[in-house]
């Protein structure tokens, strides 16, 4: 667009004025085009992630000595939400790694300055593209833009299922954590307690009493049945009495540890609530058991009356042995199966 300047003064007075305009325009263009200039609204803070021991079903801490892999954080996605409006202020557009490999789990992160914030962390997912509608344009999905809908987010399908204890040193266990409200300032230190999104289910089988009588007793299969193929950041159940609100059509997986006498598996929580009126899970009729309750199916083979026979026992972990079918995240469930006699 052309600009016409009407001259009302001698030519010699215009030259300085033209030079001044030229200086202002070129200065402004240089500032706008420089991608390296950081706005004063962004400051660097340290985020420190703390991971405690697993919890026993009774709510007490379950010590896991020497198993640092269960606390390992390999990478993290960081989200800054406005503590008052719930609006997403900033998020990491790449996976962040801890500063050191000493297990301290500290990260340097850029945040919007002088905002009362909630800092949320998703760790050990190994994927950043799932938070975007269009990764190349960094177009973030709608559900990530507000804190309340963010909590409803489920993990990417390929990161949901089961993890063997022998593999978590390379994958880590998916985790989630939220800070207290904090006003972000330069060089702030933000503590975020992390919670594993998976439970650990340990199974031990003792069949010494029955194998000692020479009946060729052995384990053929140790199967974990009804492992949910779905894991949400926020708990799926409002209370222990109610079943979790799992979406229809999700995959309920199984894992066969084959002939193992002891095994540990990490898996998403399976919340199937309590069954009113039930007095013993092991003595209950099959039709009383929730359809998707986690089951440990132990199949054994033995000789009796001159023939080879098989039998399958089913055990249902939970918060008690009476009527609770809740396997909660970040907890250890010890399933001890002791066989004292042959099946009838």
């Amino acid at each position: 667009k052309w600009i016409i300047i009407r001259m009302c003064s001698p030519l010699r007075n215009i030259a300085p004025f033209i030079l001044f305009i030229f200086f202002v325009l070129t200065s402004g263009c240089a500032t706008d085009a420089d991608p390296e200039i950081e706005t004063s609204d962004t400051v660097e803070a340290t985020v420190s992630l703390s991971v405690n021991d697993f919890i026993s079903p009774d709510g007490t801490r379950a010590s896991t000595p020497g198993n640092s892999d269960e606390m390992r954080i390999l990478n993290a996605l960081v989200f800054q939400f406005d503590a008052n409006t719930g609006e997403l202020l900033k998020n990491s557009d790449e996976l962040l790694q801890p500063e050191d490999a000493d297990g301290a789990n500290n990260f340097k992160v850029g945040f919007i300055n002088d905002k009362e914030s909630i800092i949320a962390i998703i760790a050990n997912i190994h994927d950043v593209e799932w938070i975007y509608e269009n990764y190349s344009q960094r177009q973030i999905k709608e559900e990530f833009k507000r804190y309340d809908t963010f909590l409803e987010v489920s993990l990417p399908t390929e990161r949901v299922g089961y993890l063997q204890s022998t593999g978590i040193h390379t994958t880590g266990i998916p985790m989630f954590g939220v800070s207290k409200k904090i006003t972000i300032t330069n060089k702030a230190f933000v503590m975020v307690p992390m919670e594993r999104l998976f439970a650990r289910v340990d199974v031990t089988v003792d069949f010494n009493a029955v194998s000692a009588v020479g009946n060729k007793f052995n384990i053929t299969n140790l199967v974990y049945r009804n492992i949910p193929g779905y894991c949400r950041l926020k708990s799926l159940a409002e209370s222990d009495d109610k079943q979790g609100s799992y979406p229809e059509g999700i995959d309920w997986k199984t894992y066969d540890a084959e002939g193992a006498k002891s095994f540990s598996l990490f898996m998403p929580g399976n919340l199937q609530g309590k069954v009113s009126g039930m007095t013993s899970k092991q003595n209950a009729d099959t039709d009383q058991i929730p359809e998707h309750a986690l089951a440990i199916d132990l199949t054994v083979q033995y000789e009796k009356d001159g023939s080879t026979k098989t039998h399958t026992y089913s055990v249902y972990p939970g918060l008690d042995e009476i009527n609770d079918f809740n396997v909660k995240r970040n907890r250890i469930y010890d399933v001890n199966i002791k066989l004292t006699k042959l099946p009838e």
Side-chain angles (χ1 to χ4, degrees), residues 47-51 69-79 92 94-98 105-107 119-128 130-131 144 150 155-156 159-160 163 168 170-178 192-198 231 233:
V47 176
S48 182
L49 310 184
S50 61
V51 184
D69 290 337
E70 294 181 353
M71 300 184 176
R72 189 182 304 277
I73 291 181
L74 301 171
N75 52 69
L77 292 168
V78 182
F79 301 83
S92 57
E94 62 181 2
L95 292 169
L96 303 180
Q97 279 78 37
N105 294 333
N106 291 335
F107 299 78
I119 307 302
I121 309 289
I122 304 173
N124 294 337
I125 302 301
H126 304 280
D127 181 17
V128 70
W130 66 290
I131 72 175
F144 285 87
F150 170 79
L155 300 187
R159 291 294 295 142
V160 181
L163 296 169
I168 60 171
T170 58
T171 62
I173 302 170
M175 300 185 194
F176 177 60
V178 177
V192 181
M194 300 296 291
E195 180 181 72
R196 300 169 190 85
L197 294 175
F198 283 16
C231 183
L233 299 183

Side-chain angles (χ1 to χ4, degrees), residues 56-57 200-204 317 332-336:
S56 296
R200 192 181 95 189
V201 182
D202 299 339
V203 179
T204 303
I332 290 179
Y333 292 81
D334 289 316
V335 181
N336 298 305

Side-chain angles (χ1 to χ4, degrees), residues 207-278:
F207 58 90
N208 292 330
V210 290
S211 63
V213 295
N215 46 42
K216 297 184 179 179
F217 189 95
N218 64 84
I219 298 171
T220 59
N221 298 94
L222 178 63
V223 175
Y224 292 71
R225 174 166 50 91
N226 282 332
I227 301 170
Y230 182 83
C231 183
R232 191 175 72 178
L233 299 183
K234 181 182 177 182
S235 176
L236 288 157
E238 297 177 359
S239 71
D240 291 346
D241 294 331
K242 298 181 179 180
Q243 291 186 358
S245 52
Y246 292 92
E248 292 186 9
I250 70 167
D251 189 15
W252 295 91
K253 305 178 182 182
T254 61
Y255 180 84
D256 190 350
E258 299 178 340
K261 292 194 297 183
S262 62
F263 201 81
S264 294
L265 199 69
F266 300 88
M267 51 168 279
N270 185 341
L271 306 178
Q272 297 300 319
K274 294 182 178 181
V275 177
S276 178
M278 184 179 290

Side-chain angles (χ1 to χ4, degrees), residues 35-105:
E36 300 301 323
I37 293 178
E38 188 176 40
T39 65
S40 59
D41 290 334
T42 303
V43 295
E44 186 180 73
T46 297
V47 176
S48 182
L49 310 184
S50 61
V51 184
N52 291 320
D53 290 333
F54 270 103
I55 300 174
S56 296
D58 61 5
T60 60
R61 290 288 173 191
S63 177
T64 53
N67 200 347
S68 59
D69 290 337
E70 294 181 353
M71 300 184 176
R72 189 182 304 277
I73 291 181
L74 301 171
N75 52 69
L77 292 168
V78 182
F79 301 83
Q80 179 187 10
F81 292 94
D82 188 306
N84 299 306
T85 67
E87 177 189 2
L88 177 65
L89 299 173
K90 199 172 188 301
N91 65 280
S92 57
D93 57 5
E94 62 181 2
L95 292 169
L96 303 180
Q97 279 78 37
E99 289 184 285
D100 303 304
D102 59 1
N105 294 333

Side-chain angles (χ1 to χ4, degrees), residues 176-193:
F176 177 60
V178 177
S179 73
K180 296 180 179 179
K181 291 183 180 180
I182 182 172
T183 300
I184 297 296
T185 57
N186 190 35
K187 299 188 184 304
F189 191 83
V190 184
M191 288 289 297
V192 181

